[in-house]
Every structure is written in C-alpha cells, then in structure tokens.
Amino acid sequence: MSGLHEECGIFGIWSPERSALAETVYYGLYALQHRGQEGCGIAVCDDGVITVHKDVGLVGEVFDHLTLTGMPSGNMAVGHARYSTTGGNGRRNCQPLVVNHQKGRMAIAHNGNLSNADRLRSELELSGAIFHTTSDTESIAYIITKNRLTCGSIEEAVQRTMDTIEGAYSLIVMSPTKLIAVRDPFGFRPLCFGRFPDGSCVVASESCALTAVGAAFERDLEPGEMLIFSDEGVRSDRSHCGKAPHRICVFEYIYFARPDSVIDGVPVHDARLRAGRILARECPADADIVIGVPDSGLDAALGFAHESGIPYGIGLIKNKYVARTFISPGQESRTDKVRIKLAAVQTTVKDKRVVLVDDSIVRGTTGRRIAALLREAGAKEIHFRVSAPPFLHPCFYGTDIDSEDGLIANHRTIEEIAQQMGVDSLGFLPTGSLEELCGGAGCCKACFTGEYSTTVPASFRKDKYDIPLSGNAE
Amino acid sequence: MSGLHEECGIFGIWSPERSALAETVYYGLYALQHRGQEGCGIAVCDDGVITVHKDVGLVGEVFDHLTLTGMPSGNMAVGHARYSTTGGNGRRNCQPLVVNHQKGRMAIAHNGNLSNADRLRSELELSGAIFHTTSDTESIAYIITKNRLTCGSIEEAVQRTMDTIEGAYSLIVMSPTKLIAVRDPFGFRPLCFGRFPDGSCVVASESCALTAVGAAFERDLEPGEMLIFSDEGVRSDRSHCGKAPHRICVFEYIYFARPDSVIDGVPVHDARLRAGRILARECPADADIVIGVPDSGLDAALGFAHESGIPYGIGLIKNKYVARTFISPGQESRTDKVRIKLAAVQTTVKDKRVVLVDDSIVRGTTGRRIAALLREAGAKEIHFRVSAPPFLHPCFYGTDIDSEDGLIANHRTIEEIAQQMGVDSLGFLPTGSLEELCGGAGCCKACFTGEYSTTVPASFRKDKYDIPLSGNAE
Amino acid sequence: MSGLHEECGIFGIWSPERSALAETVYYGLYALQHRGQEGCGIAVCDDGVITVHKDVGLVGEVFDHLTLTGMPSGNMAVGHARYSTTGGNGRRNCQPLVVNHQKGRMAIAHNGNLSNADRLRSELELSGAIFHTTSDTESIAYIITKNRLTCGSIEEAVQRTMDTIEGAYSLIVMSPTKLIAVRDPFGFRPLCFGRFPDGSCVVASESCALTAVGAAFERDLEPGEMLIFSDEGVRSDRSHCGKAPHRICVFEYIYFARPDSVIDGVPVHDARLRAGRILARECPADADIVIGVPDSGLDAALGFAHESGIPYGIGLIKNKYVARTFISPGQESRTDKVRIKLAAVQTTVKDKRVVLVDDSIVRGTTGRRIAALLREAGAKEIHFRVSAPPFLHPCFYGTDIDSEDGLIANHRTIEEIAQQMGVDSLGFLPTGSLEELCGGAGCCKACFTGEYSTTVPASFRKDKYDIPLSGNAE
Amino acid sequence: MSGLHEECGIFGIWSPERSALAETVYYGLYALQHRGQEGCGIAVCDDGVITVHKDVGLVGEVFDHLTLTGMPSGNMAVGHARYSTTGGNGRRNCQPLVVNHQKGRMAIAHNGNLSNADRLRSELELSGAIFHTTSDTESIAYIITKNRLTCGSIEEAVQRTMDTIEGAYSLIVMSPTKLIAVRDPFGFRPLCFGRFPDGSCVVASESCALTAVGAAFERDLEPGEMLIFSDEGVRSDRSHCGKAPHRICVFEYIYFARPDSVIDGVPVHDARLRAGRILARECPADADIVIGVPDSGLDAALGFAHESGIPYGIGLIKNKYVARTFISPGQESRTDKVRIKLAAVQTTVKDKRVVLVDDSIVRGTTGRRIAALLREAGAKEIHFRVSAPPFLHPCFYGTDIDSEDGLIANHRTIEEIAQQMGVDSLGFLPTGSLEELCGGAGCCKACFTGEYSTTVPASFRKDKYDIPLSGNAE
C-alpha cells in the first residue's frame, strides 16, 4: 500500500549452450516483478544477433505464449522490469535498451539512477547527440559507445564509463559476445549472481529470482565489481571496488526487496523482523493485538509482536485482484478505493487496542484511510508504528521520491501527523537504528538524513525530459 | 494453492433512484472475485430494459473504463463472478444469463449446483427445449419461464420453481420491475443483504462485498427465504423456510469465503482460527515454528500457533503476480511452477522443525512440492496439518470435486499420504470437529462423510454437456 | 456506397474424409464477406461433436491464425457471414447458431428473413420457450427441435418445419451426422452447390465462393429443394418444390451479389450490364462521359456506355482502406466523410456533361454529396441514373429496408428528388424492366411494387426483440 | 496486385490557431494509405511540446477513437504512413521519428531513400553515434542536430543538411516553433501544398490528400525547394532549386500514386490513360475485349481500349476484404491465394480474345496465376500488356526493388516471359515513351535503364541494419 516505488529489476543469463533462455528470463522477471510493474522486456543474443521484445505492462501481459516461444534460442539473454506509473507514457523507456553502434549491437538493462545524469546528457547533446528516450540509461549507452571507439574491448569501455557516471547503477550490458554485470562502487542497488548445475550463470537484482529459476545463489557482486561472462568463462574485475563506502539503499530491506531475498548477506525478512523488534523497544504501545498492513508491513508486525509479547493477529485482508486494470472510483462515487483494496477483519480488531505496523508513510493518505477502516470495524485504539524513519529528503538514487513536496513528515511534529491520520499514537523507527536493521552493513539513508554520498543536482525531477505521449504508444 | 474451486459469487443491487449501479456491482464483484475467476458479467435494468455485458476473464479484464462507463444507469443491477477453469470454454456459460420469454426479459445469477439437474434437463428437452449453455442455470430459467405462464407474478413463479429444483442455489433474478433474491432451503451457499444510507439495497454472496461498497450489513437470508425488492419496498417470503435442515457448506468457512466475511453469524476468520486450534489439540506436533501456506492457510496456522504456544512465522511468500496469463513451464523446462508461485523464507525455516498448515489436500501434488521447497531451505522436520478432514466423496452442491478419482485420501492411510508427500507427520481436522469450526451451525460435510442431504444422481460430471469450443468464443 | 445491406452469406462443406474443413470455410466466407460484415462464425462437426467459433467482426478479424488452425478437423463444417450494423450489438446473434436438444447438438446457418417470424415466436413463447437471441433463426431451431421429437430423422424434421415457416430462407443445418441445405419454395435467396475432385461437396450462397475455394459449380438448388449430405452420399428432396412461384430477390442482381457470381443461371455482371443498357434506352442523356459509383455502379455504367455510345470513364476513386474501424468526422469537423471515401478524378469530369450511374438511392444523402464532389471537380452537368426502380416499400425477406420512413422516393416526384440531390436529371430503371434484367426469371420486386408473395406482418421492425447490449459483448 | 511497394506518404499541417489537427492528419493519412500500410504515426506540436503516437498497422488500426481524440490540440502536426512488410518488424522504424536534442525536440517524417545512407551512417557511428532505428531518417536527424549546434535556425540547419544527404527525400521537419517541408533537388518524390480557407497550410505527398481534407491545392514544391511555416507565415527557400535535373519517379505515375492525384502538373489518371494508349499503338493486339487488373491496371486498360477501339470490359473482380490479417493458404492447402483475391468474370472473358493490362511485372508469379484464372473462365487468348517497361535494375530512391534478383525480365526474352506466364502475347511499354507518359516532365527511370542520377552504393540491401525483432515489439 506504500506510495513508494523502486525503479527496476534486472536479470541476465549466460549459458555455455544455445538454449531457450528467454523462458528462464521470463520466470526470473516474474520473481522481480515487485521491483517494477510499468513495463518489461527481454533481449536474447543468438550467435551475435540480438533480438528484443519489450512493452508497457506486466511480464504476464507483455509476454504471451506466442511471443515467448517466438523468441530465438541463444546463449545470452537479459531482462528488465520497470516500475509502474500512472500514465504509462513509457514504451520508449522500456528496457533492455538496444542500440546499434559502430561495433555492432548492444543491450543494456539498468537499475538505479545517476546523480550526474543532467550534466552527462547536456555534454552529450552539445556534441550533437540525439536522444530517443528520457532515461539516463541512454546516456550510459552513449558513453560506453564513445569509449568503445578507443577501447580494445567492451568491458574496458564499461570500466572507463564507470569513471564518468555517478550515482546508483546495477547494470547488465550484453554485447554480441559478452554478458557484463556491474554494480556501482557504493553498491546502492543490489546485484547477485548464481549458477545452474549445467554451468549457466545468472545475474539478478535479488536472490529470490535465482531461487525461482532453480539456480544456486553464489554471491552478491561487490560494490564496484564487474563480472564478465563469455566463452572464456566468468571473470571478475574489481578495479572500482573499495573506491567508495558501502551504501546499500536501506529501503531495499524495509520495503523494496522480497522478504525471501538475501542482500549483501542480510536476509530481508530478518531485517524487517528486526525493524519490528526495534520499534517495539523504541516506541512501545499498550495494546491487545499487533497487525500489519499487507504485504510489506507483515514481517515488521510479527517482529513487534515477538518483542512486545502482544499477540500477532490478521487484521487486514488485501484484495489480490486489484491490479493495473482496476478502475478507481471517481470523485463522486460512493465507493472508496482503499475499501476495495483492503478490508478489516472485524473479529481481530473489534474492541481491541491495535498496534498497526506499516513500512513507511509518504503522504499519509492511505494510512489515514486504513485507520478509518479499523475504527469502523470496532478498533478501540490505533497505535501506528512505521518500520522506517520519516521521509524528509528526495532520493537521487532510484526511488521515486523526487522532491520534498507532499512528504507528510516535513514541517510537522509526530503528534501533528498522528492527529492528521486519526491514530492514537504514532512511532517511527529511529534513524540511528538503521544500521542495526541492515545487520551492520553501511547503508544509504539520505532520504531520512539528507546526507548524500555523491554530489547531487541542484534540482531534480525524474520526468524532466518527459514529453507527453498519447496512449501507450512509442 | 488449493486445487478446489467454488462455483460463483453473485451480487445484486436495487435502488430507489436511477443511478450508475454498474459501477457499484463492479466493485462488489472485485470483492467476490475469489469465488470465481473464469468469467463475469453485469446486467443493468433501466426502466424495464435489461442490458448485459459479460465475458470470460477477471472483472478487471472484462470491464475496461469504456465498457463500465458505457453501461446504462438503472434502478436494478445484478453481477456474477464465475470460477476459472483451464480451458476457458465458457463465454456462453458466463452469467448473468439473460433470456427473453413471453413476459419480457429476465436476468439470472446463480451460485450453487442443482442435484437434480440432469433429470430437469431431460424433461425439458423432451418437451422440445433447446439449450444454449451447459449450465443448470438455464434449466432454472426455463422452469421459471414455464411457471410464469400460469403464475400471477415473477415471485410466485420463482416460488413454484423452488418446489421443483433441488440442491444448492443462491439466486438473484431480475425481471423488468423486480429484483428477487433466493437462498435454497438447506442454505448450502451463503447469501446476505445490506443497505446503503440512501435506501438502496444490496444482496451479495458474502458480507465482504457489502463492506467493500460501503453498504451496511443487515442480515443473512434464511435458508429457503426469498427477498423481493421493488418499488413497493423489500418483502420477505419465507414459504420455503424451515423445510430442510441448515446445511451451509463447511468449505465456505475452511477455504472459499474471504476471512473478513461473516456467514450465518460466524466470522470466517474465527472459524479458521478455531480450525487451527482444534488441529493443535487433536494433532499436536513437537516443533519450533508454525507457518501457513498463503493465503488461505495463514489463519489456521495462527490458530495453531496460539493454541500450541509454538511461535508463528512467515515461512512462505506467494508471488502475487502469478495470474491467469502466467505461462506454466513445460515438461522439459528446468523451472518448476510451484517455485515461481511460492518461495520459502530461509531464515524462518532453516534448521527448524516446522508445522506447515494448509486448508486442504486434494491430489497432494502441490503439498509435496511445498514440502520440497522447505526442505531445500533447510527445514529439519515438516509436520503438515490440514484444517479440513480428508476428501473422500464428490460434491453435488457447487464445489468442483466431481468424482472420487484423484483424491489422494481415498484408499490410503494417513501414513501413506505423509510418505507420498515427503513430510514427517500429517494430521487432518477430525470430521467430528466441523460443527465446532462452524460455531455450531448445521453444515454440509458430505464430501468428507458421503452423507448427502438430497437425492443425488447416480453419476455426475460437471462438464457433462460441455461441447468443445475453440478459443474463448461463444 | 449504398445504404442497403443484405442479411447474410452461408457456406457449408461435407467431406468423405476428415480434414481441415474450417480453412476451406474461412476462404469461402472471404468470398461471401460482401453479404455480411457484422459478424461471422464457423462450426465444425468432428465425429458427431460440433465445435464453433464466432464473433462480431470481419472474417479476418474473428479468425486469426491460432483460432483457425485451432479448429478441429472434421467431415462437415458450416460458416456464416452476417451484415454490419452500426452498433455491433450482436455477438449473441452471430451464427452458426449452435444448440443442444434432446437428440444432441445442431448448428444452423440462415440467410433470409421469415415473414411469419412474429407469430412463430409468440406461439413458442406461449409454450414456455426462452430465447437467447433476437433473430428468427432461433425460432427455426426450436421448431426443428420440436419436430425432431416425433420425426424419424433430422431431414424429416426440417421438411416438416418448412410447412410452418414462411418467407425467405436459405438454410444449412448440421446435425452430428448430416449436412442439410434448404432453399425456401420461393427461392428468395440464392443457394448453390458444387463439388471438389475428391468428392467433397460444397453449398454456398453464391457461386463466387465455390470458385474461390476451387470447387466446381454444379447447380443452384431449386426453390423448395433440400439436399442431404451424409455418409450415404447426396440426396435431393423436392417435396416442397413447385409449391410457389420463383421469386429470387431482384436486388441480388442489382446490388447484393458479386458480379462474378451466377445466380439461377443468370450471371450477375450480365444482369447489371443489361440494367445499364435499359437505362440508356429508357432514360437517355446527352452527355460526354459515363462514370459509375464504385464498386457496384461500375457494371451498369459500362452497360450504359455501351448502349449509348457515350465513352466510359473512371470518374470516382474509392478509398479501399475505409473499413469498420474508420472514425467518421464529427459534426463540427471540417472534413466530410464522403470526401474520404470517394474522390473525383478531375481530368475525367472537368468541363464534361457526366452520366453518373449508381445501383440505388435510399435516402439520397450520399448521392447528393457525390454530386457535389463532381461539381467541385468541374463537372458541367450531372445526369444521375439509377440501375434500380425507386424504393417505396419495406422488405420482409432479408434486406434491411424495414419501413418506408426515410425513403427519399416516397411522396416525391423524380424532379423533386433530382433537385434535392443537386443533379441536372435523374432516371430510374422502370419496374417493368426488372424481368429483363433478371434474364426472364421470376423475381421478387415487392420493395418497388408493394406486391408481396407471402402474408406479411402488420408491422415490422428488424430490431424488434433487440435489447441494448453494451459494447460487443455477448 | 503488384509486388512493388512505395516507401511512404507524409502529411503536415500548420495552423494559425490551436485546434484538433491530429484529426485532419488522420484523414490525410487515410488518403495516403496506399503509399504505406506497414505503420503510421501522428505528431502534434502544442505550444512547443511535441506529442507522438505511432505503431505498426493501418491508420484505422493504430488510431482508435480514444487515441485520436486523446491527442492534444496544437498549431502544427505531422503524419506518416509506412509501407507494409511481411514481418512487421518495425515499430521502432515507424515515423514521425521524434528525437530530443540540444535545442529541444524535433519530429521528422520522410518519404524516399538516401543513396549515400551507408556512408553517412558509418561516419556518424565513427563519431560515437548510437542508432535506435534501422532507417536513414535517423541519420538525417543526426545531421540536422549537429548542424543545428552551429546554425542560427532550424531551417538553416536543414539547408546545410541538404548539402550532405543525397538521393530521394521529401521531408517534413517539425521543431517546437516551425514546420519545414523540403523536397530533394531532383524531386524524386512528390510533395505539394495547399491551404484551408482559415489560413491553415497543408503539405502532403499527393494532392489527393489535400482534396480529402478539404484544402485547396496550391502547388507542388519545386525540386530543391524548402517551405517554412511559422508565425511569420509561409516562406520559400529555393537555395537548392535548379541544382539538379528534375527526376520525378516515373512509377509514381504508373503505380504508386492515386489516380485522382496531380503530380508536378500531370494528372496521374491521364498519365495512365496515356500509358494504355501508347501500349495500344506500340504493342497492339487482335482481341475482343480489354480488361485491367484491379485497381491499378484499370486506367491503362481504359486507355488501351479507347486507342484500340476494342471494347473495355470488367473481367476481374478484386476481393476488397483481403487485408493485412488475411491468412494465406499454406503449401498443402487446396486453396490458391490469388483465387481468393481475384475472380474472373466469366461472361466477360468466355470465348474471348482478351487483352489483359497490368501496371508492372516483377517476378511474374501473380500474372501467371491471373492468366490461369482467365483460361479457366474460358478466355480463348490472353494478350498481356504492361503499362511499364521491364524492371532490370534496383532502385536506390525509395522503391523496394533492392536487387536484380528475382526480376523476371532479367536474362529473359519477352517470348520467354510470355511462355512462362502462360499468355499468348506480351508487350511492355517502351522505355522511350516514359517522357510522354509523364507529360514531358524529366523523370527517373533508373530501374529500367540503370542510369542513376546520383552516385549509388556498391551494394544495397534495404534491411541492412535490420536485426530480427520478435512480434511487433519495439
């Protein structure tokens, strides 16, 4: 129910034998679909020829049986899932981005956001570049292409590109002969790899995708690491490792990632249980039952229950059929959207003092309506606990908080927020507990603290280059 | 993850004022979508003229914005959600069924199954009837039509029809001037009604649909009761009440209904918690953690945990994007379908003795694969607990167990089933506890006991009249 | 450009061997598509099992590659093309109509209209019949079904049905074992049959469909004749032959049929050339060029040119891309619909006195706009010649002139019509010449003369039973 | 029925007032649809913001009511229709091409082919350019963009681009403030402009599009001319006029253009009539009837008839429903594709010596089958006359004859071709008559003579950069 969105999930596979890799990518993208529901695509490389299919929509919408089985076999493939916006003005921004250049064709899948994207794009434009998309991935493609003109290999060109681009990027680059995976030196976004028994190697945003396709998790890519998969096997290039502190996005643990994933050694479900336990210690509540907002608030709710000793209950049911095609009730409708999406379980909350746990509050609207649903079902008291600190600053690394506007926590005290949401008490996770939540790993928490790891642009709007497009076209 | 399917959900609305009722039905069907995903439809009655739109697919697929807003306003409307079969050979079987007859037009939405359907159909055919669909609802329409020729009113015709039809039926019949809701004398299927502040009345299979659209629950229809909504207000006809014992399908509580619904006075979530508690008492296990199979095993798992004192954990994650369009891996694929749908949370189950709770076992295939997933994630022991007794007999009242073939519990001991599923122990809910589960209400448990409340046909196949249709057509 | 529409085209095939008959029907329907563009369908009978696919749309829209190749092979098949209405409210009315009855399944394809449809339907309703469609074909199905209960065979049941139904019907009835083709005793609508070298037999509305699929034309069915195709070969039953005078619809020659078809021994192209010649004699014009309105006015224009000695020219070009999906300009648009559909060839008409030939005038609107186009292109004089007499009466036999309202020729002199259309002179084909046009065959000309061959209903509206349906559904 | 395809049709509009221009472009593209059926698109400029919708398909498929009415109003718009290939591998190649560059956004619609495309693309790639499409239009966009960096205006940048690009190009370029139309110095492809009474100006490939939307034809652009439409009115820049001889593609007259269009002062219908007349003089035949292959052979057939005195007849009927979605019969089918598309009118050709006129012969396959159809319908003799000379050389300027392979006229005498096609005699238009056909204008006839007006590449394949794409994607 969060208003937050991750930017993407990526998945790559390299196989010693030509086989139906698009199918494996398809299942891998299903496992990464939570990272992006706007659009998706799969590019297959078959003997140097790259074929791509991509469009706006969920994996199950973009790939029907004919399309999937119509993809050629190959020995490399890369897939991408992109996050869902309202307008869907984005076929042109779907990935993998596939471009032709002097050395042939190249496919790129990107998770993250460059913090110097504007400057890079301006420089490229001043050299006569034309842009077909509005994403910073196209700038990356340009820079790799330019570097490739003077570099001896595609991996050298990518390495040199890492000297120029700044910010968050987990990348998979597929050339006619190599599959290259890169994680930025801060490690803002996750990226891991695994193997199949037959020697095929898989790279994915989250380990849940490896498990889903039946591959064995091998390890996370180190921040700054590049892996090159080719006929010569797997090679690791750590030239950019250690050049920056580890800054995995803490929100991967709190909300974005699937609970069964393990990121940089820390199981996501554990991190959320810990968040709940911390909340129970730091913001206790005198209550009869602890419930979570499904799905992402459930783990922290369970942690809160375990730590506090207050029983865990199932107090909210999520309608699992409300998807992209759902028609939201209009203003004059007597129906309320949240009421369709969520239902209170009366017997759990009636006449109870309820601890309600959710992963975050952005604008507070949904939380207020959930509180109202619980009141209507008879809840006596509602103690809202949030398994993240309050958002105060924009994110430049791939989360869609692109300005401070609309953040309910700005310029409001906790009491004011609680009152606005209609809850009896409100508690946030203390910023100081984030490292504990992450299991000690160095994490990026700039959206809470405003302390950014890179230079950041003076202004920032993710849709800066977006020109209105009609329908889903282009 | 159950192999079981309910046959339908129905929703009707009557309003004193002409308004955009199709929208309300649309949201109501969203809340009933769990009862049927094969197809759906909405019929609106506007000043005596009945307009219908229906097709194969989920509510969000059949009704796009244009279609929904293109439905006329009216003062009555009825909707139907139908359960999903593999073939999709069913546009002609989508409901509401709308027919023309001597007195005008009539729309019918039906949840349930007649146990004397075959005989009725044969008799009608011998009188020259032609059938366009393969469902018993068309027989009901014929009988109402024939009765209407000699009855003074549509409600009288429906009452007389109740003398002829046997089995499970919760019906909504819409004539040009009246909306009629009927529940069969056994009350096999639920049906309740509620009101809006503006005087509109709503009838729905489950109370969750009333809540979703913002109507206040008023009460369940009594078994055998008929409600007539018209310009003269709401009238109840109880002529058929008390003619049969109460036999609400126990599986409504165990699996079909949404946990936030209340059926015949018993909250579904409570019934499931109780099922878990009974299981903990009757089939205890020495274990470290209790987990449920999402979504319908979660409530009973929590009940088991509460009763046993063993901690409740989140051990399985369901991929919420696996829907109708998902392309199942073929035989030769290295990917396993269950692996895409469900993932084990390693940190919850690793090195643990796990109690795994699910709502039912039909063929046992899914359960075996889930057990394998848990083993792979490190579970030391798996104690499978099922919040229902073993299935042994076909259902003639609207559940798709149409023969004893394939039921894993037939001709096998519990130990044999446990071994086949690869679990360390297995426990079923005792048949004798079903009344406790239902909160004391008289329930139908024929699929466990073979004791049917009505005469049943010698043979039974739900697709008996089904002639192959290509694609989704017709 | 005519406002007239035929009701249907039908096509049936019987083969001694099981083969991919749906494909042949598909191509046959392409050749009959001009007879109906609203919807279409194909039913295949494979070893007694009838499978059907049908929907609203053109043959090329309803049948994509998957659907067509997904149809089962069989030894009988029947197809239907239905005419296009604006609303498209008609999936339920698409044919073949497939129904289940006491003796199994039956598919019916029907071209024509019963003149006693209302009475038949009322009688059936009074016996308790329910109707799913709004077409008279369902009444035919009912009557065959009822007769079948007491008849020894399906063909006997169809024969007996011919005693009851009146009006225009070319029918193909497919039972599990037989394919039956029937033409009504007046022969209002065409029906012919042919053979493949392999012994397969084909029945079609027009001979052009036989040629298109590569079958050899054998002969027209006689009015009142029934052909029965079965494992016992082809059998003709002429019990109803000679019971009525031959009354082939003259508009089949003037407009409906394809010029390369031969109907009842008369080539359609010849009939149209003759119409043009008669016009040249009866309504001569002093002019420089003769042009036809494409496509159906071209043949008569050529006949006029040949007879008159005035040169034939290509003066109007039809935009062949304007199809069902074309979005007509709204009221406030600066664009004119006729201008998109038709263009004048300036070099043909500039400074010329033009004879403009079209097949009919219904409301006169299109003719007026065509005249305006020609004026704009420089035509000095326009002499409009119509290769049919003026419409004055409704048709009860399958053409969509369902009332006298809107017919420009009613209550207007020829001079008034000419003035209203903005032409310098106007001439219609004399009613007395229609037999000459038809090559001497007895024809139905009731829409011109009001002399009907059967009893006709007091009132008539083809959409009498039509209840509004939303979108294309049902 | 020709195997030839034109590459494109373009349409632009500039209006002094903001209005619903997309609608006008939509109708304009309908009138240009014959120039390209692969895909189409419309870009609208509203106060400097360019919105585009484009996709694979016909105008009526790509633009439904919602999409068209959803396009913003604006004061400039440009549209494009692209020719249809089998694979449909082309969403990325649909136009208008819309790119972002240093000065904002730019939309380009292009008809024609650059003969130095390969060299330009190589040079751009060596400077680090990346290409998203496989068309030479993207190279034009790059060069304009690079020139724009140092030019004071977009029109100056386009002028300088004309110094670099060679070959055939009729272009419409839309910047945020200007609409620019350019015709290459040879004038290979047509381009004309017209005006609406309200002062709006329209540019289109053919005059038929002006007429269709109700604009008054003003004049053709001169070869080399540029028109700039902006708030300052219409300005003509003739800097590149007169730098090359006039070389309008003669096939525009013979086949591509619509007969009602007038190109460079010559009505297309007249040119075709003349072609028929020349044929009658140069390749006379002793025959009874002259028939044309619809649609493009009809005009020349009429010319032949007029000149020879042999009567003109309607001998072939084209099935107007055979469109993109038609499923061609497979190899083992008993049905022949040409038989579905075309039907002989028996009464016209039976026992006759027939002159059959078509516009061109590429591989001869279709012609052979048409001849067979006529024989089957009883034609005694067939004298095939072609209103063009034999194709012998590839075209580098926008027609899809990309190599000499498969051209039936290569290495064969006329007698050999006649024998192969099964006709009694065969005659081609003499190359020396082409100027007469064009009304004296200088025309490009390189495909017949091999005399190219520009330097041409050593090798040429239109799909050189085409990488396989699955389905319609991208």
Side-chain angles (χ1 to χ4, degrees), chain C residues 117-436:
Chain C
D118 279 13
R119 192 170 51 75
L120 295 175
R121 191 168 171 127
S122 294
E123 287 172 8
L124 287 162
E125 283 180 346
L126 280 168
S127 78
I130 58 179
F131 286 86
H132 292 247
T133 78
T134 57
S135 83
D136 50 6
T137 310
E138 196 174 5
S139 296
I140 299 178
Y142 257 115
I143 299 170
I144 295 175
T145 296
K146 284 186 183 284
N147 288 334
R148 182 72 184 88
L149 292 173
T150 56
C151 287
S153 68
I154 178 74
E155 57 266 38
E156 196 186 324
V158 174
Q159 277 291 341
R160 199 180 298 169
T161 300
M162 293 174 76
D163 296 333
T164 311
I165 60 179
E166 282 172 20
Y169 54 91
S170 285
L171 279 180
I172 302 178
V173 177
M174 184 166 70
S175 82
T177 56
K178 289 168 191 162
L179 189 81
I180 295 170
V182 182
R183 194 173 174 199
D184 69 67
F186 292 95
F188 284 114
R189 297 290 155 216
L191 196 62
C192 62
F193 90 105
R195 290 186 202 261
F196 278 106
D198 72 354
S200 300
C201 294
V202 193
V203 182
S205 289
E206 291 184 31
S207 65
C208 68
L210 304 184
T211 313
V213 300
F217 174 82
E218 185 124 343
R219 62 177 177 84
D220 293 284
L221 269 75
E222 270 182 56
E225 184 177 7
M226 168 193 282
L227 286 179
I228 304 108
F229 303 90
S230 74
D231 286 347
E232 296 159 30
V234 189
R235 190 168 67 79
S236 166
D237 181 327
R238 290 164 198 260
S239 324
H240 280 81
C241 292
K243 293 197 171 168
H246 192 175
R247 287 289 175 265
I248 176 77
C249 167
V250 71
F251 240 80
E252 292 285 347
Y253 294 110
I254 294 173
Y255 169 71
F256 294 145
R258 238 170 64 173
D260 54 316
S261 286
V262 178
I263 295 176
D264 289 346
V266 178
V268 173
H269 177 63
D270 279 6
R272 292 185 189 168
L273 283 178
R274 270 197 300 275
R277 287 182 180 280
I278 297 168
L279 270 176
R281 288 195 313 262
E282 302 283 339
C283 320
D286 200 8
D288 305 308
I289 193 99
V290 180
I291 67 173
V293 178
D295 294 324
S296 56
L298 298 179
D299 311 75
L302 192 58
F304 193 105
H306 285 169
E307 181 77 17
S308 66
I310 304 171
Y312 173 81
I314 294 176
L316 288 165
I317 300 296
K318 188 175 167 184
N319 188 326
K320 57 189 169 188
Y321 302 101
V322 175
R324 282 176 8 111
T325 51
F326 177 72
I327 301 165
S328 282
Q331 290 292 58
E332 72 277 28
S333 173
R334 55 180 156 196
T335 307
D336 165 27
K337 187 179 176 179
V338 168
R339 196 178 273 285
I340 308 293
K341 287 189 165 180
L342 279 184
V345 181
Q346 194 173 359
T347 62
T348 302
V349 302
K350 191 170 184 192
D351 299 329
K352 300 269 179 59
R353 295 167 303 164
V354 177
V355 173
L356 172 69
V357 182
D358 202 356
D359 55 76
S360 58
I361 297 181
V362 182
R363 280 177 307 276
T365 331
T366 301
R368 189 171 62 242
R369 296 203 173 167
I370 293 173
L373 279 184
L374 294 174
R375 297 273 184 213
E376 184 187 311
K380 253 194 337 199
E381 294 177 12
I382 299 171
H383 301 278
F384 204 149
R385 296 297 175 267
V386 184
S387 61
F391 284 118
L392 296 171
H393 305 278
C395 172
F396 300 98
Y397 308 119
T399 304
D400 70 344
I401 305 180
D402 57 6
S403 90
E404 304 171 6
D405 305 340
L407 298 176
I408 195 176
N410 263 327
H411 314 301
R412 278 193 193 80
T413 65
I414 288 195
E415 287 67 33
E416 285 168 346
I417 304 172
Q419 196 183 350
Q420 192 167 327
M421 299 181 62
V423 297
D424 298 282
S425 77
L426 172 64
F428 286 95
L429 193 86
T431 307
S433 314
L434 290 171
E435 263 81 13
E436 179 184 349

Side-chain angles (χ1 to χ4, degrees), chain A residues 49-55 67 70-72 91-92 96-103 105-106 121-122 125-134 138 141-142 145-146 149 465 467-474, chain D residues 49-55 67 70-72 91-92 96-103 105-106 121-122 125-134 138 141-142 145-146 149 465 467-474:
Chain A
V49 176
I50 295 176
T51 300
V52 66
H53 180 83
K54 62 186 181 182
D55 211 336
T67 311
M71 295 287 288
R91 190 193 286 168
R92 63 162 54 199
L97 179 70
V98 181
V99 299
N100 303 284
H101 59 107
Q102 208 264 330
K103 300 287 185 179
R105 211 172 199 196
M106 176 171 64
R121 189 167 171 128
S122 294
E125 283 180 346
L126 281 168
S127 79
I130 58 179
F131 286 86
H132 292 246
T133 80
T134 58
E138 195 174 5
Y142 257 115
T145 295
K146 285 187 183 285
L149 291 173
Y465 308 102
I467 290 93
L469 297 173
S470 143
N472 285 331
E474 218 192 341
Chain D
V49 176
I50 295 176
T51 301
V52 66
H53 180 84
K54 61 187 184 181
D55 210 335
T67 312
M71 297 287 288
R91 190 192 287 169
R92 63 162 54 199
L97 178 71
V98 181
V99 298
N100 302 284
H101 60 107
Q102 208 262 332
K103 299 288 184 180
R105 212 171 198 195
M106 174 172 65
R121 189 166 172 128
S122 295
E125 283 181 346
L126 281 167
S127 78
I130 58 179
F131 285 86
H132 292 247
T133 79
T134 58
E138 196 175 3
Y142 257 117
T145 296
K146 283 186 182 286
L149 292 173
Y465 307 101
I467 289 92
L469 297 174
S470 141
N472 285 333
E474 219 193 340

